[in-house]
Amino acid sequence: MMLLRFVYTILIKLSWYGLHVIALFNPKINLFVSGRKKTFSELKTKLPSGSKSIWMHVASLGEFEQGLPILERLKSAYPEYKIVLTFFSPSGYEVKKNTSAADVVVYLPMDTLSNAAYFLEIFNPKLAIFIKYEIWPNYLHHLRQRNIPTLLVSGRFSKKQIYFKSFGGFMRNSLRAFSHFFVQDEGSKALLGSIGFKNSTVSGDTRFDRVSEILKQDNHLDFMSKFKEDLFCLVAGSTWPEDEEILINFINDAPDSIKFVLAPHQIKQAHIENITKALTKKTVCYTQLKGEDVSLFNVLIIDTIGLLTKIYSYADVAYVGGGFATGLHNTLEPAVFGVPVIIGPHFEGFKEAEDLVDAKGILPIHNQESFTSIMNSFLANPTSIAKTGKINSDYIANNLGATILIMDHIKEIL
C-alpha cells in the first residue's frame, strides 16, 4: 500500500504541475490553480487559534446542495463550532464562496500527503463530512491517523467503481477512514457489505430535505407573474446548446399563447446573443426588463444566476438541461413544485431521475420529434400535466428525513 500511495501522490503532483501550464490558456483551470494557492493563508486568517471546527468537503454545486441541509443544522445546533467548507471545482466555489452556511469557504488543496497533513494541522476538525463521491486517499489517510470521525453523506456506489474491482485495493483501503457511510439506496449498502464494510445506513438523499424547504419560502416574482399571466408556461433551466437547439425549434413553431422561459447554464453575452438571434418570437432578457412590459413578450431569457429555483414555481412543464452530453442538472428543484419534467436521454447515475423516469413523472427525450410529441400531448390534454406532476411531488414527499437521521448520528460524536 505504501508503494501505491507513493505512486498516487507522484501522479497528483505531476497533474498539479500540468494544470499550471493549462491555466495559462484556460480561465476555469486558472481559477482552479490560483484559488488553491490561497487556501492555507485563508484558513490561518479566518480561523482563530484554538477554534473548534467541523469540516465538510463537496465537489461542486450539486454536492453543495446535498450538504447544505447538514450545514444549516450544524450552524444552528453547534454555534460554538466553526464550519470549514471546501470545494474541488471552481463551478461550485465561485458561486458559493460567500455562502453564510459556513464560516470559511476555500478550495481543497491537491491530495498530496504533505498538503493533507498541513491542512489538518491548521484546524484539526472534530468531525469531517464528505459528500457523495468525494474519496481522496491522502486526506482520508491522515483523518484516520488522527482518529477524526469521518462520514460519507448521500453516498452512492455502483459495481463499476474501482472499490469493487480486483485491482482496487488501494482505493478500497481508503474507505476504512470512514467511521460511517450514509448511502442513498440498498444497492450501495449491499456493495459496501460485499467488501467488508458493515458500518452503513440507508438514509436516502439529503437533497430531498433541501428542496422541500423551497416550498416554505416566498417564491413570488413580480416579473414572472406579469410575464406568465394565465398562459401555459414552459421553464427550461440549466440548458446547454444541445438542449437549446431542440427548444428553439419548438418555440419558433409554437403558438403565441405559450410562454417560454430559458435559463441557460452559460450566460456569457455572446451565447445569450446567439440564442436571441435564433428565436423568431418576441424575446427579452431579464437584465433588459427595466421599463419593458414583460407581458408583451413570448420568450424570457434569464441571463443571470440565482432566480431559477423560484421561476420553476411558475412552470406548467419544466425542462432540465444537461441530459444530452454534459451531465444532467437538478431535476428535484422543478419536481418539488409538482410539475412534469422533461430531460435529455442520458440520466444514468442520477437515482432520482432513474426513479422518476420509471414512475413516468420525468420524461426523457432523444430528439426533436420526441420533445415535440411530449409537449403536444401535454398541450392537448392539460389534465395529464397535474397527474404527471403529482408523481414528482409525491416522490419527494416520500423520501424526506435523511438530514434528521444523519444529525442524530452526529449528536453522538460532538
PDB file of all heavy atoms in Angstrom, residues 154-155 180-190 192 198-205 351 399-402 405-406:
ATOM      1  N   SER A 154     -24.924  10.946   1.727  1.00  0.00           N
ATOM      2  CA  SER A 154     -25.581  10.812   0.418  1.00  0.00           C
ATOM      3  C   SER A 154     -24.718  10.036  -0.561  1.00  0.00           C
ATOM      4  O   SER A 154     -24.693  10.319  -1.760  1.00  0.00           O
ATOM      5  CB  SER A 154     -25.951  12.182  -0.156  1.00  0.00           C
ATOM      6  OG  SER A 154     -26.945  12.804   0.609  1.00  0.00           O
ATOM      7  N   GLY A 155     -23.992   9.044  -0.032  1.00  0.00           N
ATOM      8  CA  GLY A 155     -23.132   8.232  -0.885  1.00  0.00           C
ATOM      9  C   GLY A 155     -23.932   7.335  -1.813  1.00  0.00           C
ATOM     10  O   GLY A 155     -25.043   6.911  -1.494  1.00  0.00           O
ATOM     11  N   HIS A 180     -18.588   6.070   9.357  1.00  0.00           N
ATOM     12  CA  HIS A 180     -19.932   5.636   8.962  1.00  0.00           C
ATOM     13  C   HIS A 180     -20.255   6.131   7.553  1.00  0.00           C
ATOM     14  O   HIS A 180     -19.845   7.225   7.163  1.00  0.00           O
ATOM     15  CB  HIS A 180     -20.999   6.143   9.936  1.00  0.00           C
ATOM     16  CG  HIS A 180     -22.232   5.294   9.949  1.00  0.00           C
ATOM     17  ND1 HIS A 180     -22.348   4.164  10.723  1.00  0.00           N
ATOM     18  CD2 HIS A 180     -23.394   5.373   9.258  1.00  0.00           C
ATOM     19  CE1 HIS A 180     -23.533   3.613  10.534  1.00  0.00           C
ATOM     20  NE2 HIS A 180     -24.183   4.325   9.633  1.00  0.00           N
ATOM     21  N   PHE A 181     -20.998   5.299   6.822  1.00  0.00           N
ATOM     22  CA  PHE A 181     -21.474   5.650   5.482  1.00  0.00           C
ATOM     23  C   PHE A 181     -22.985   5.849   5.536  1.00  0.00           C
ATOM     24  O   PHE A 181     -23.714   4.950   5.969  1.00  0.00           O
ATOM     25  CB  PHE A 181     -21.186   4.524   4.480  1.00  0.00           C
ATOM     26  CG  PHE A 181     -19.737   4.180   4.299  1.00  0.00           C
ATOM     27  CD1 PHE A 181     -19.109   3.251   5.139  1.00  0.00           C
ATOM     28  CD2 PHE A 181     -18.993   4.762   3.286  1.00  0.00           C
ATOM     29  CE1 PHE A 181     -17.779   2.915   4.969  1.00  0.00           C
ATOM     30  CE2 PHE A 181     -17.659   4.427   3.103  1.00  0.00           C
ATOM     31  CZ  PHE A 181     -17.041   3.505   3.947  1.00  0.00           C
ATOM     32  N   PHE A 182     -23.459   7.007   5.082  1.00  0.00           N
ATOM     33  CA  PHE A 182     -24.892   7.226   4.891  1.00  0.00           C
ATOM     34  C   PHE A 182     -25.143   7.205   3.390  1.00  0.00           C
ATOM     35  O   PHE A 182     -24.724   8.115   2.666  1.00  0.00           O
ATOM     36  CB  PHE A 182     -25.323   8.558   5.508  1.00  0.00           C
ATOM     37  CG  PHE A 182     -25.307   8.543   7.009  1.00  0.00           C
ATOM     38  CD1 PHE A 182     -24.208   9.015   7.712  1.00  0.00           C
ATOM     39  CD2 PHE A 182     -26.383   8.030   7.726  1.00  0.00           C
ATOM     40  CE1 PHE A 182     -24.183   8.988   9.095  1.00  0.00           C
ATOM     41  CE2 PHE A 182     -26.367   8.003   9.114  1.00  0.00           C
ATOM     42  CZ  PHE A 182     -25.263   8.475   9.804  1.00  0.00           C
ATOM     43  N   VAL A 183     -25.797   6.147   2.920  1.00  0.00           N
ATOM     44  CA  VAL A 183     -25.936   5.932   1.481  1.00  0.00           C
ATOM     45  C   VAL A 183     -27.371   6.144   1.029  1.00  0.00           C
ATOM     46  O   VAL A 183     -28.312   6.117   1.831  1.00  0.00           O
ATOM     47  CB  VAL A 183     -25.442   4.528   1.080  1.00  0.00           C
ATOM     48  CG1 VAL A 183     -23.949   4.393   1.351  1.00  0.00           C
ATOM     49  CG2 VAL A 183     -26.221   3.430   1.813  1.00  0.00           C
ATOM     50  N   GLN A 184     -27.513   6.303  -0.276  1.00  0.00           N
ATOM     51  CA  GLN A 184     -28.820   6.645  -0.825  1.00  0.00           C
ATOM     52  C   GLN A 184     -29.738   5.446  -1.004  1.00  0.00           C
ATOM     53  O   GLN A 184     -30.955   5.606  -1.009  1.00  0.00           O
ATOM     54  CB  GLN A 184     -28.648   7.353  -2.180  1.00  0.00           C
ATOM     55  CG  GLN A 184     -27.973   8.702  -2.099  1.00  0.00           C
ATOM     56  CD  GLN A 184     -27.993   9.415  -3.436  1.00  0.00           C
ATOM     57  OE1 GLN A 184     -28.945   9.276  -4.218  1.00  0.00           O
ATOM     58  NE2 GLN A 184     -26.962  10.185  -3.720  1.00  0.00           N
ATOM     59  N   ASP A 185     -29.164   4.255  -1.195  1.00  0.00           N
ATOM     60  CA  ASP A 185     -30.019   3.120  -1.550  1.00  0.00           C
ATOM     61  C   ASP A 185     -29.475   1.809  -1.006  1.00  0.00           C
ATOM     62  O   ASP A 185     -28.330   1.706  -0.564  1.00  0.00           O
ATOM     63  CB  ASP A 185     -30.189   3.029  -3.075  1.00  0.00           C
ATOM     64  CG  ASP A 185     -28.853   3.037  -3.809  1.00  0.00           C
ATOM     65  OD1 ASP A 185     -27.895   2.439  -3.297  1.00  0.00           O
ATOM     66  OD2 ASP A 185     -28.774   3.644  -4.888  1.00  0.00           O
ATOM     67  N   GLU A 186     -30.336   0.791  -1.039  1.00  0.00           N
ATOM     68  CA  GLU A 186     -29.966  -0.535  -0.543  1.00  0.00           C
ATOM     69  C   GLU A 186     -28.847  -1.156  -1.363  1.00  0.00           C
ATOM     70  O   GLU A 186     -28.019  -1.911  -0.840  1.00  0.00           O
ATOM     71  CB  GLU A 186     -31.187  -1.465  -0.551  1.00  0.00           C
ATOM     72  CG  GLU A 186     -32.270  -1.101   0.455  1.00  0.00           C
ATOM     73  CD  GLU A 186     -31.854  -1.403   1.893  1.00  0.00           C
ATOM     74  OE1 GLU A 186     -30.815  -2.076   2.089  1.00  0.00           O
ATOM     75  OE2 GLU A 186     -32.564  -0.973   2.813  1.00  0.00           O
ATOM     76  N   GLY A 187     -28.803  -0.841  -2.669  1.00  0.00           N
ATOM     77  CA  GLY A 187     -27.750  -1.381  -3.523  1.00  0.00           C
ATOM     78  C   GLY A 187     -26.373  -0.937  -3.068  1.00  0.00           C
ATOM     79  O   GLY A 187     -25.421  -1.729  -3.054  1.00  0.00           O
ATOM     80  N   SER A 188     -26.252   0.333  -2.683  1.00  0.00           N
ATOM     81  CA  SER A 188     -24.974   0.848  -2.196  1.00  0.00           C
ATOM     82  C   SER A 188     -24.577   0.168  -0.889  1.00  0.00           C
ATOM     83  O   SER A 188     -23.407  -0.175  -0.683  1.00  0.00           O
ATOM     84  CB  SER A 188     -25.066   2.364  -1.991  1.00  0.00           C
ATOM     85  OG  SER A 188     -25.263   3.034  -3.215  1.00  0.00           O
ATOM     86  N   LYS A 189     -25.547  -0.016  -0.019  1.00  0.00           N
ATOM     87  CA  LYS A 189     -25.279  -0.695   1.259  1.00  0.00           C
ATOM     88  C   LYS A 189     -24.793  -2.128   1.018  1.00  0.00           C
ATOM     89  O   LYS A 189     -23.833  -2.596   1.655  1.00  0.00           O
ATOM     90  CB  LYS A 189     -26.548  -0.707   2.113  1.00  0.00           C
ATOM     91  CG  LYS A 189     -26.376  -1.358   3.495  1.00  0.00           C
ATOM     92  CD  LYS A 189     -27.691  -1.323   4.264  1.00  0.00           C
ATOM     93  CE  LYS A 189     -27.580  -2.080   5.580  1.00  0.00           C
ATOM     94  NZ  LYS A 189     -26.709  -1.398   6.553  1.00  0.00           N
ATOM     95  N   ALA A 190     -25.435  -2.810   0.072  1.00  0.00           N
ATOM     96  CA  ALA A 190     -25.049  -4.189  -0.229  1.00  0.00           C
ATOM     97  C   ALA A 190     -23.639  -4.257  -0.826  1.00  0.00           C
ATOM     98  O   ALA A 190     -22.858  -5.157  -0.494  1.00  0.00           O
ATOM     99  CB  ALA A 190     -26.058  -4.810  -1.191  1.00  0.00           C
ATOM    100  N   LEU A 192     -21.154  -2.140  -0.316  1.00  0.00           N
ATOM    101  CA  LEU A 192     -20.203  -1.908   0.769  1.00  0.00           C
ATOM    102  C   LEU A 192     -20.056  -3.170   1.631  1.00  0.00           C
ATOM    103  O   LEU A 192     -18.951  -3.538   2.034  1.00  0.00           O
ATOM    104  CB  LEU A 192     -20.651  -0.730   1.630  1.00  0.00           C
ATOM    105  CG  LEU A 192     -20.466   0.663   1.038  1.00  0.00           C
ATOM    106  CD1 LEU A 192     -21.162   1.721   1.890  1.00  0.00           C
ATOM    107  CD2 LEU A 192     -18.984   1.012   0.900  1.00  0.00           C
ATOM    108  N   LYS A 198     -19.607  -2.903   7.077  1.00  0.00           N
ATOM    109  CA  LYS A 198     -20.949  -3.073   7.638  1.00  0.00           C
ATOM    110  C   LYS A 198     -21.463  -1.801   8.311  1.00  0.00           C
ATOM    111  O   LYS A 198     -22.598  -1.760   8.783  1.00  0.00           O
ATOM    112  CB  LYS A 198     -20.930  -4.206   8.667  1.00  0.00           C
ATOM    113  CG  LYS A 198     -20.372  -5.519   8.141  1.00  0.00           C
ATOM    114  CD  LYS A 198     -21.161  -6.071   6.964  1.00  0.00           C
ATOM    115  CE  LYS A 198     -20.600  -7.414   6.510  1.00  0.00           C
ATOM    116  NZ  LYS A 198     -21.315  -7.932   5.305  1.00  0.00           N
ATOM    117  N   ASN A 199     -20.621  -0.769   8.353  1.00  0.00           N
ATOM    118  CA  ASN A 199     -20.965   0.483   9.047  1.00  0.00           C
ATOM    119  C   ASN A 199     -21.671   1.452   8.110  1.00  0.00           C
ATOM    120  O   ASN A 199     -21.216   2.569   7.866  1.00  0.00           O
ATOM    121  CB  ASN A 199     -19.708   1.128   9.634  1.00  0.00           C
ATOM    122  CG  ASN A 199     -18.607   1.337   8.603  1.00  0.00           C
ATOM    123  OD1 ASN A 199     -18.522   0.595   7.620  1.00  0.00           O
ATOM    124  ND2 ASN A 199     -17.758   2.319   8.816  1.00  0.00           N
ATOM    125  N   SER A 200     -22.794   1.027   7.551  1.00  0.00           N
ATOM    126  CA  SER A 200     -23.532   1.880   6.625  1.00  0.00           C
ATOM    127  C   SER A 200     -25.009   1.895   6.966  1.00  0.00           C
ATOM    128  O   SER A 200     -25.545   0.931   7.521  1.00  0.00           O
ATOM    129  CB  SER A 200     -23.341   1.414   5.172  1.00  0.00           C
ATOM    130  OG  SER A 200     -23.877   0.120   4.986  1.00  0.00           O
ATOM    131  N   THR A 201     -25.647   3.006   6.640  1.00  0.00           N
ATOM    132  CA  THR A 201     -27.080   3.185   6.862  1.00  0.00           C
ATOM    133  C   THR A 201     -27.701   3.745   5.598  1.00  0.00           C
ATOM    134  O   THR A 201     -27.151   4.668   4.987  1.00  0.00           O
ATOM    135  CB  THR A 201     -27.333   4.180   8.016  1.00  0.00           C
ATOM    136  OG1 THR A 201     -26.739   3.681   9.212  1.00  0.00           O
ATOM    137  CG2 THR A 201     -28.828   4.402   8.228  1.00  0.00           C
ATOM    138  N   VAL A 202     -28.827   3.189   5.197  1.00  0.00           N
ATOM    139  CA  VAL A 202     -29.557   3.740   4.067  1.00  0.00           C
ATOM    140  C   VAL A 202     -30.371   4.932   4.569  1.00  0.00           C
ATOM    141  O   VAL A 202     -31.388   4.766   5.245  1.00  0.00           O
ATOM    142  CB  VAL A 202     -30.477   2.699   3.402  1.00  0.00           C
ATOM    143  CG1 VAL A 202     -31.246   3.323   2.244  1.00  0.00           C
ATOM    144  CG2 VAL A 202     -29.664   1.501   2.920  1.00  0.00           C
ATOM    145  N   SER A 203     -29.899   6.117   4.261  1.00  0.00           N
ATOM    146  CA  SER A 203     -30.549   7.337   4.755  1.00  0.00           C
ATOM    147  C   SER A 203     -31.328   8.048   3.661  1.00  0.00           C
ATOM    148  O   SER A 203     -32.149   8.920   3.943  1.00  0.00           O
ATOM    149  CB  SER A 203     -29.495   8.304   5.309  1.00  0.00           C
ATOM    150  OG  SER A 203     -28.565   8.669   4.301  1.00  0.00           O
ATOM    151  N   GLY A 204     -31.067   7.697   2.401  1.00  0.00           N
ATOM    152  CA  GLY A 204     -31.632   8.461   1.297  1.00  0.00           C
ATOM    153  C   GLY A 204     -30.738   9.648   0.974  1.00  0.00           C
ATOM    154  O   GLY A 204     -29.593   9.738   1.405  1.00  0.00           O
ATOM    155  N   ASP A 205     -31.287  10.572   0.216  1.00  0.00           N
ATOM    156  CA  ASP A 205     -30.532  11.717  -0.283  1.00  0.00           C
ATOM    157  C   ASP A 205     -30.980  12.983   0.440  1.00  0.00           C
ATOM    158  O   ASP A 205     -32.176  13.302   0.470  1.00  0.00           O
ATOM    159  CB  ASP A 205     -30.787  11.860  -1.793  1.00  0.00           C
ATOM    160  CG  ASP A 205     -29.866  12.852  -2.477  1.00  0.00           C
ATOM    161  OD1 ASP A 205     -29.305  13.723  -1.784  1.00  0.00           O
ATOM    162  OD2 ASP A 205     -29.716  12.772  -3.710  1.00  0.00           O
ATOM    163  N   LYS A 351     -29.992   8.908  -9.384  1.00  0.00           N
ATOM    164  CA  LYS A 351     -31.013   7.996  -8.859  1.00  0.00           C
ATOM    165  C   LYS A 351     -32.413   8.576  -8.935  1.00  0.00           C
ATOM    166  O   LYS A 351     -33.367   7.884  -9.324  1.00  0.00           O
ATOM    167  CB  LYS A 351     -30.688   7.608  -7.413  1.00  0.00           C
ATOM    168  CG  LYS A 351     -31.671   6.589  -6.827  1.00  0.00           C
ATOM    169  CD  LYS A 351     -31.324   6.216  -5.401  1.00  0.00           C
ATOM    170  CE  LYS A 351     -32.264   5.135  -4.882  1.00  0.00           C
ATOM    171  NZ  LYS A 351     -33.667   5.563  -4.865  1.00  0.00           N
ATOM    172  N   ASN A 399     -39.587  10.753   0.370  1.00  0.00           N
ATOM    173  CA  ASN A 399     -38.159  10.485   0.537  1.00  0.00           C
ATOM    174  C   ASN A 399     -37.471  11.488   1.465  1.00  0.00           C
ATOM    175  O   ASN A 399     -36.255  11.679   1.391  1.00  0.00           O
ATOM    176  CB  ASN A 399     -37.456  10.479  -0.825  1.00  0.00           C
ATOM    177  CG  ASN A 399     -37.668   9.172  -1.569  1.00  0.00           C
ATOM    178  OD1 ASN A 399     -37.001   8.183  -1.315  1.00  0.00           O
ATOM    179  ND2 ASN A 399     -38.636   9.165  -2.469  1.00  0.00           N
ATOM    180  N   LEU A 400     -38.237  12.118   2.338  1.00  0.00           N
ATOM    181  CA  LEU A 400     -37.669  13.069   3.287  1.00  0.00           C
ATOM    182  C   LEU A 400     -37.086  12.351   4.509  1.00  0.00           C
ATOM    183  O   LEU A 400     -37.414  11.201   4.769  1.00  0.00           O
ATOM    184  CB  LEU A 400     -38.750  14.060   3.738  1.00  0.00           C
ATOM    185  CG  LEU A 400     -39.421  14.892   2.644  1.00  0.00           C
ATOM    186  CD1 LEU A 400     -40.520  15.767   3.244  1.00  0.00           C
ATOM    187  CD2 LEU A 400     -38.398  15.753   1.915  1.00  0.00           C
ATOM    188  N   GLY A 401     -36.219  13.040   5.231  1.00  0.00           N
ATOM    189  CA  GLY A 401     -35.771  12.529   6.520  1.00  0.00           C
ATOM    190  C   GLY A 401     -34.305  12.196   6.652  1.00  0.00           C
ATOM    191  O   GLY A 401     -33.836  11.895   7.759  1.00  0.00           O
ATOM    192  N   ALA A 402     -33.524  12.254   5.560  1.00  0.00           N
ATOM    193  CA  ALA A 402     -32.108  11.903   5.648  1.00  0.00           C
ATOM    194  C   ALA A 402     -31.355  12.817   6.601  1.00  0.00           C
ATOM    195  O   ALA A 402     -30.507  12.361   7.387  1.00  0.00           O
ATOM    196  CB  ALA A 402     -31.472  11.964   4.252  1.00  0.00           C
ATOM    197  N   LEU A 405     -31.807  11.906  10.286  1.00  0.00           N
ATOM    198  CA  LEU A 405     -31.103  10.656  10.600  1.00  0.00           C
ATOM    199  C   LEU A 405     -29.610  10.906  10.782  1.00  0.00           C
ATOM    200  O   LEU A 405     -28.984  10.411  11.732  1.00  0.00           O
ATOM    201  CB  LEU A 405     -31.340   9.653   9.470  1.00  0.00           C
ATOM    202  CG  LEU A 405     -30.872   8.216   9.699  1.00  0.00           C
ATOM    203  CD1 LEU A 405     -31.638   7.593  10.855  1.00  0.00           C
ATOM    204  CD2 LEU A 405     -31.078   7.398   8.428  1.00  0.00           C
ATOM    205  N   ILE A 406     -29.031  11.694   9.887  1.00  0.00           N
ATOM    206  CA  ILE A 406     -27.593  11.983   9.957  1.00  0.00           C
ATOM    207  C   ILE A 406     -27.267  12.849  11.165  1.00  0.00           C
ATOM    208  O   ILE A 406     -26.275  12.623  11.869  1.00  0.00           O
ATOM    209  CB  ILE A 406     -27.135  12.657   8.644  1.00  0.00           C
ATOM    210  CG1 ILE A 406     -27.274  11.661   7.487  1.00  0.00           C
ATOM    211  CG2 ILE A 406     -25.693  13.156   8.755  1.00  0.00           C
ATOM    212  CD1 ILE A 406     -27.254  12.306   6.115  1.00  0.00           C
TER     213      ILE A 406
END
